[in-house]
Amino acid sequence: MASRKFDTRELVTKTSHGKWQLPDMSQIGPAMKALRPMQRKFVQQYITHHNATRAYLEAGYSGTGDAARVTACQLLHQENIQAAITEETRKCFSA
């Protein structure tokens, strides 16, 4: 089995002690696993504040003004992104 190369765009979080922590992939559902790292970050940010443009920029995508707004909207309308948002939202309500 080949070792997995670390991707700096992965969803990393900082612990209370200031150390970086990789996500626990066993806790991610199939719809989220199917996404690329920046798309996962977009979904998580969108669920946090329900603002597609803000989620788009916080996920690490580039763009400003109307270009960011339009591209964020296009991303939000992709079926795989919608499936991941639904999956993550259900996890929030079932917890």
Side-chain angles (χ1 to χ4, degrees):
M1 184 168 141
S3 63
R4 184 175 175 267
K5 186 176 179 183
F6 178 76
D7 185 350
T8 57
R9 296 175 298 167
E10 286 284 348
L11 302 174
V12 294
T13 55
K14 240 181 187 176
T15 65
S16 58
H17 302 292
K19 294 186 178 183
W20 290 102
Q21 176 178 331
L22 288 172
D24 181 4
M25 293 301 280
S26 67
Q27 300 297 320
I28 296 177
M32 281 291 274
K33 282 184 182 176
L35 300 178
R36 294 186 307 259
M38 286 176 70
Q39 290 174 322
R40 286 187 207 130
K41 184 74 170 176
F42 172 81
V43 169
Q44 288 185 329
Q45 293 302 318
Y46 182 76
I47 289 170
T48 301
H49 42 67
H50 301 285
N51 181 321
T53 305
R54 183 174 165 192
Y56 177 83
L57 295 171
E58 289 179 1
Y61 290 100
S62 62
T64 57
D66 286 339
R69 183 181 55 79
V70 169
T71 312
C73 184
Q74 291 172 346
L75 188 61
L76 188 60
H77 283 86
Q78 291 180 8
E79 287 183 28
N80 57 341
I81 299 291
Q82 290 179 3
I85 290 170
T86 301
E87 177 181 89
E88 292 299 300
T89 304
R90 286 185 179 151
K91 281 192 337 188
C92 291
F93 285 110
S94 67

